[in-house]
Amino acid sequence: MAGQFTVRDVLYMYSDARTAYDRFIGIGSNPAQARNAVALLLWLDQCNVSAIQHLPGLSPTAVNLVAAEANSVLDCLRGPAPVVPAIPLISALCQDGDVDPRFFAFHQDLVVRGVADILDGVGSLIFDDHLNKMLRRYQTGLVGNPPELMATYNCLTVAVPEDCRSMFITFSRGAPIDREEIFDYFRQKWGDCVVRVLMEKTTGGSQAMYGRIIFRSEAFVQLVLNGERLVKITIRNRQIWLRKYVPRPAATQNQN
């Protein structure tokens, strides 16, 4: 797509997605959950099972149900043995009238990486409030040809610093987990999504109580949290807690 379309063109092409996002926000959805839900529906649309085009005509109650179904799918995908709940409304809206929820459980890596690609790619335009406000002003003739809208769209994902794609993790005392287990958990579920796992430096064989996961893109962090500040996952009957990484001064860091 690079070199062929302007930012304005891409916004027009994904107008249904932006409308869906605005409707989710309008019913009070968490912005992060709304972005993830729209990205999931867009991914389904790319698989020729389109529900997103029907969002503009739905009642607020139905929109709320679609948002809840989409986010229930995403929440389940981070669990150790996902049992995806029923999604009757999304299934009914899709062109073929049937989406088997088991598909999401059997193909977690395909789903998550596809949704992450959307969040990292066209999502940067779809969910940009400034660009969409400018587009509305352009459409109503309030502005001429804004350079930001007329710029050539570059589909290449912009690299972000490691801190922006990291999660801070903590462990339960007496239930040690090593870095390889954490790495393997996400690799087996979501494919090649983790760069590395850092653990607290300890002495005398003491258990590490915290660590850090560095993902390949910020979208994976967004999908793990799905709008929550703190989430819990279970790895071989041991729990870990994850939240967005907030860097501390270098002098206080103690990981390897």
Side-chain angles (χ1 to χ4, degrees):
M1 187 178 289
Q4 300 178 12
F5 297 100
T6 65
V7 169
R8 182 192 63 182
D9 294 333
V10 176
L11 290 174
Y12 279 145
M13 284 187 282
Y14 289 94
S15 60
D16 283 346
R18 179 65 197 198
T19 299
Y21 175 73
D22 288 337
R23 293 221 63 190
F24 286 151
I25 294 298
I27 61 169
S29 293
N30 175 292
Q33 290 183 332
R35 290 191 293 269
N36 292 348
V38 169
L40 177 66
L41 294 176
L42 264 181
W43 182 80
L44 284 172
D45 188 67
Q46 292 175 355
C47 298
N48 296 318
V49 281
S50 181
I52 200 166
Q53 63 182 344
H54 300 293
L55 263 291
L58 296 181
S59 69
T61 299
V63 170
N64 188 58
L65 288 174
V66 171
E69 289 182 7
N71 280 291
S72 67
V73 170
L74 292 164
D75 284 341
C76 288
L77 291 178
R78 66 173 173 240
V83 180
V84 180
I87 49 172
L89 184 52
I90 290 178
S91 181
L93 293 175
C94 289
Q95 290 178 346
D96 62 4
D98 183 30
V99 177
D100 190 339
R102 292 174 296 180
F103 174 86
F104 298 107
F106 293 150
H107 301 283
Q108 296 173 63
D109 58 337
L110 182 66
V111 177
V112 170
R113 283 183 290 170
V115 172
D117 285 344
I118 290 171
L119 290 171
D120 286 328
V122 293
S124 63
L125 303 186
I126 296 169
F127 307 123
D128 188 312
D129 292 337
H130 171 69
L131 286 177
N132 281 276
K133 181 178 180 180
M134 189 178 298
L135 179 65
R136 288 192 294 271
R137 289 171 59 85
Y138 168 79
Q139 290 172 318
T140 56
L142 294 177
V143 296
N145 293 315
E148 290 174 274
L149 293 182
M150 302 306 154
T152 299
Y153 172 63
N154 185 350
C155 64
L156 298 177
T157 301
V158 177
V160 298
E162 285 189 349
D163 287 351
C164 296
R165 45 190 171 91
S166 294
M167 301 196 76
F168 185 75
I169 49 178
T170 54
F171 316 111
S172 298
R173 188 172 297 279
I177 299 177
D178 60 43
R179 73 180 74 203
E180 288 76 19
E181 289 178 294
I182 298 170
F183 186 88
D184 288 344
Y185 176 86
F186 284 101
R187 181 177 59 183
Q188 291 170 8
K189 289 176 63 63
W190 291 0
D192 186 20
C193 64
V194 175
V195 176
R196 61 182 179 275
V197 178
L198 306 175
M199 304 289 277
E200 175 194 14
K201 293 180 181 178
T202 60
T203 59
S206 299
Q207 176 193 338
M209 297 305 298
Y210 63 86
R212 176 183 173 191
I213 304 176
I214 302 170
F215 288 94
R216 295 201 175 276
S217 83
E218 188 175 7
F220 291 113
V221 175
Q222 298 170 21
L223 291 171
V224 170
L225 291 173
N226 197 29
E228 302 293 336
R229 187 189 68 84
L230 182 71
V231 299
K232 177 182 67 177
I233 64 174
T234 303
I235 300 176
R236 297 183 181 178
N237 298 316
R238 290 160 295 170
Q239 296 174 337
I240 69 172
W241 285 262
L242 305 94
R243 62 174 172 80
K244 185 78 171 73
Y245 176 73
V246 179
R248 297 180 295 169
T252 65
Q253 295 183 357
N254 188 34
Q255 296 176 351
N256 61 1

